[in-house]
Amino acid sequence: MGESKPNNATPPETPTSSTPSLSLSSAEPPKPPTPPPPRSLIQPSHKKKSKTKVFRVFRSVFRSFPIITPACKIPTLHGGGISLPDSRSNGITGTRVTGTLFGYRKGRVSLSMQENPKCLPSLVVELAMQTNALQKEMSAGTVRIALECEKRAEKDKTKLLNEPLWTMFCNGKKAGYGVTREATEEDLNVMELLKAVSMGAGVLPGNSDIDGPDLEIVYVRAHFERVVGSKDSETLYMLSPEGNNGPELSIFFVRI
């Protein structure tokens, strides 16, 4: 019988792939977020007002009184109430600013105040009212909005329009609470889109093309006469073009 020979054959080598394995370092980096569109809005000038016209300031104090109504907690003055001026009269004196009321149809309406349409907002207040509700009030002809807050101590130098929280009344009825806030990206986008509009009303597209008209942004833009009565009272009177019988809108800011 022949002796069996030991199997000295080496096992075949396992074939290796010539394709190098991917490492984390070779993975493509995530794409950076799309930058927001460039804006051309400029800073307001913050021009100081002249204090030499004493009579003009004295007359503005009386024209900037808020709505005289028990619902607004304004004390009744002896000798009868004070008649508020027509916002379309030529007798109102003050600084002309651009005011924009805007918001989603079923969302809360916001007020933006600018030195002019090309400037960044100097004030944004989210009002305690839905946009469609304000539209109904304006269609009736006259809207008077009072924004009230409590008086501060004499040493407190907070400016009236820097107050963070307001109790809001619309045509004498309490509507809720308004909030002063910094302008959001969406606010700035709206102001940028309306930069060429000095006065008018319309609809802007919202963030969605499939959710229907409820996500459209409704806006009303007009010139307002800003009358500073004192450190505790300011008023915005909407100015209508000559011969226009559009809605009358007044907005009162007051500390009581």
Side-chain angles (χ1 to χ4, degrees), residues 203-254:
V203 177
L204 297 173
N207 292 328
S208 174
D209 296 329
I210 61 176
D211 290 329
D214 289 343
L215 284 196
E216 292 177 339
I217 298 175
V218 181
Y219 73 89
V220 175
R221 168 166 282 187
H223 295 304
F224 284 79
E225 199 76 15
R226 179 186 176 189
V227 179
V228 179
S230 69
K231 67 176 183 178
D232 294 322
S233 65
E234 293 191 23
T235 309
L236 296 176
Y237 298 99
M238 187 173 74
L239 303 177
S240 298
E242 292 295 330
N244 189 333
N245 294 323
E248 178 184 341
L249 173 63
S250 303
I251 303 174
F252 304 89
F253 298 86
V254 62

Side-chain angles (χ1 to χ4, degrees), residues 47 64 81 106 172 176 225:
K47 295 179 181 178
S64 62
K106 292 187 178 180
E225 199 76 15

